[in-house]
Amino acid sequence: MTRTPRARRAITALAAAGTLVVGLAACGSGSTDAGSAGGSDKAKVTLILKDLQNPFFTALADGAKAEAAKDGVELTVVAAKKDGDEQGQIDEIESAVLKGQNGILILPSGPAVNKAMNDARAQGVTVIALDTPPDPIDTADITFATDNFEAGKLIGEWSKAFMASKPATIAMLDQFSDRTIQTDLNRDQGFLEGMGIDLADKTKKGDEAKTGTYGDGGTYTIACQEPTTGAEDGGRTAMENCLTKNKNINLVYTINEPSAAGAYKALQAAGLQDKVTIVSIDGSCAGVENVSKGVIAATSQQYPVKMAELGVKAIADKVAGKALPAVTDGLNFYNTGTALITDKAEDGVKSITTADGSKICW
């Protein structure tokens, strides 16, 4: 299994079709071309999202549309029915190939999509992954994404400093329970390493709580690991399930901010919102606002608009005969950056305030 940068130590994490066209250009009447380039010289690109509800994906789509207009790219934006709908994405890849698209931008929902991505590349289509690195990572020509291990590590380091060796009873709210995707795995690994938790035998599947020491000798218990599908209602259900297993949870790690918002509602309903610290990853404007309100204590901000801009431009440049951007570590991975946002700064952990984070949120 090829890992993205920084995710070098293996653990076994809890594992982790309809079409809706919303893009700037689709075949048929009523389609709108982006930019001013004309005729057959215009690059044709399909962006395949996981869903159209998550604000991260809609921000990414908006960024792609703006860049397409700038570069003269004919862009079609489609999505599967829901996050995790691998067959829906496979259908969209096959459709894009049949339509003669030059490139596909995709946030792959899982390993079942790999074959369709490889088949598209074999037919001369440039396939670029955004946000979610495929496994193996060379399934795509290049990936533009957050270093998810680093994003997880940042909130883990902040959590370790914040907990200050006090007993930590941890709930881990992930994406899926029926599959493992690199985004989840790397964020989980990063969080645990940042906390100072041994990755060799922790976060195994099953309900058995894992215990040990973290940081400078604090004790921890991983009380639960529950799927959320990255949605608010999933986060609430996952948190409710965790509380049935352990009422002493005082630290909640969530895969993204919608699931964090749902977890907070479950804690509110149980009267525990002031006794539990939530950390997350995303950096949306709504998420940054929740950090300022104390709903989330700290979040690692990522930059979906930048991912989209880089992806659209890379395909436009490829059609024009230019090379794809240079990558590091010998992997087809381009790190789009991350920053920790919190109003409760901890010594030794680099962070920015919500005031600064709100200026660059999405």
Side-chain angles (χ1 to χ4, degrees):
M1 179 182 291
T2 302
R3 302 239 182 261
T4 52
R6 305 297 299 274
R8 298 291 185 242
R9 291 193 244 167
I11 59 169
T12 304
L14 173 64
T19 298
L20 180 58
V21 177
V22 298
L24 289 177
C27 296
S29 62
S31 65
T32 304
D33 291 342
S36 59
S40 60
D41 292 335
K42 181 179 292 188
K44 296 181 176 67
V45 178
T46 294
L47 168 61
I48 303 174
L49 301 172
K50 295 179 180 180
D51 66 46
L52 290 168
Q53 287 73 50
N54 189 308
F56 183 94
F57 304 144
T58 57
L60 192 148
D62 289 343
K65 293 173 187 178
E67 186 65 28
K70 177 181 175 182
D71 294 341
V73 169
E74 184 179 307
L75 178 70
T76 301
V77 181
V78 296
K81 287 183 177 180
K82 62 180 181 178
D83 194 346
D85 178 10
E86 292 167 291
Q87 185 58 51
Q89 290 196 325
I90 291 168
D91 293 343
E92 294 299 350
I93 292 171
E94 293 173 348
S95 176
V97 173
L98 288 173
K99 290 177 181 177
Q101 299 287 279
N102 302 108
I104 293 171
L105 302 172
I106 184 169
L107 291 73
S109 280
V113 182
N114 286 5
K115 183 180 184 302
M117 293 171 66
N118 283 323
D119 289 347
R121 292 177 68 194
Q123 295 183 66
V125 180
T126 299
V127 178
I128 294 177
L130 304 179
D131 176 57
T132 307
D135 183 16
I137 198 166
D138 59 4
T139 303
D141 287 285
I142 190 172
T143 295
F144 296 109
T146 307
D147 183 336
N148 285 296
F149 182 83
E150 180 64 21
K153 187 177 179 181
L154 280 171
I155 59 170
E157 289 174 339
W158 182 91
S159 299
K160 178 177 68 175
F162 179 80
M163 295 302 291
S165 295
K166 296 189 295 290
T169 303
I170 304 168
M172 297 185 69
L173 306 190
D174 283 319
Q175 189 97 335
F176 301 115
S177 61
D178 61 347
R179 75 201 71 182
T180 299
I181 60 174
Q182 285 296 318
T183 300
D184 291 9
L185 183 63
N186 292 341
R187 290 181 185 184
D188 284 4
Q189 288 178 317
F191 169 74
L192 292 168
E193 181 161 303
M195 277 287 293
I197 293 174
D198 179 10
L199 300 185
D201 61 354
K202 303 301 182 284
T203 66
K204 295 180 181 178
K205 292 182 180 179
D207 292 334
E208 180 184 359
K210 304 301 175 183
T211 61
T213 59
Y214 76 92
D216 295 325
T219 61
Y220 75 87
T221 297
I222 298 177
C224 61
Q225 223 174 339
E226 290 285 327
T228 67
T229 69
E232 183 173 324
D233 57 350
R236 180 165 188 164
T237 299
M239 191 71 246
E240 289 169 347
N241 291 339
C242 284
L243 290 174
T244 65
K245 296 175 182 179
N246 194 321
K247 294 287 187 182
N248 297 317
I249 291 168
N250 58 4
L251 178 62
V252 178
Y253 153 89
T254 69
I255 199 69
N256 65 3
E257 290 165 356
S259 59
Y264 184 81
K265 288 184 177 179
L267 292 168
Q268 266 189 320
L272 298 172
Q273 70 274 16
D274 296 328
K275 298 179 180 180
V276 181
T277 299
I278 300 175
V279 294
S280 193
I281 297 173
D282 258 348
S284 67
C285 293
V288 173
E289 183 178 1
N290 272 341
V291 175
S292 70
K293 292 178 177 178
V295 172
I296 302 171
T299 192
S300 286
Q301 187 172 61
Q302 49 184 346
Y303 306 105
V305 173
K306 183 177 181 180
M307 298 173 197
E309 291 172 345
L310 288 168
V312 171
K313 188 175 189 306
I315 295 176
D317 287 347
K318 187 78 179 296
V319 170
K322 299 178 183 178
L324 293 173
V327 295
T328 58
D329 287 355
L331 300 174
N332 299 348
F333 183 87
Y334 188 107
N335 181 12
T336 53
T338 188
L340 181 71
I341 298 175
T342 184
D343 289 330
K344 300 175 181 178
E346 293 290 339
D347 290 343
V349 184
K350 187 176 180 180
S351 64
I352 62 176
T353 65
T354 55
D356 289 333
S358 65
K359 297 175 183 176
I360 50 176
C361 65
W362 38 271

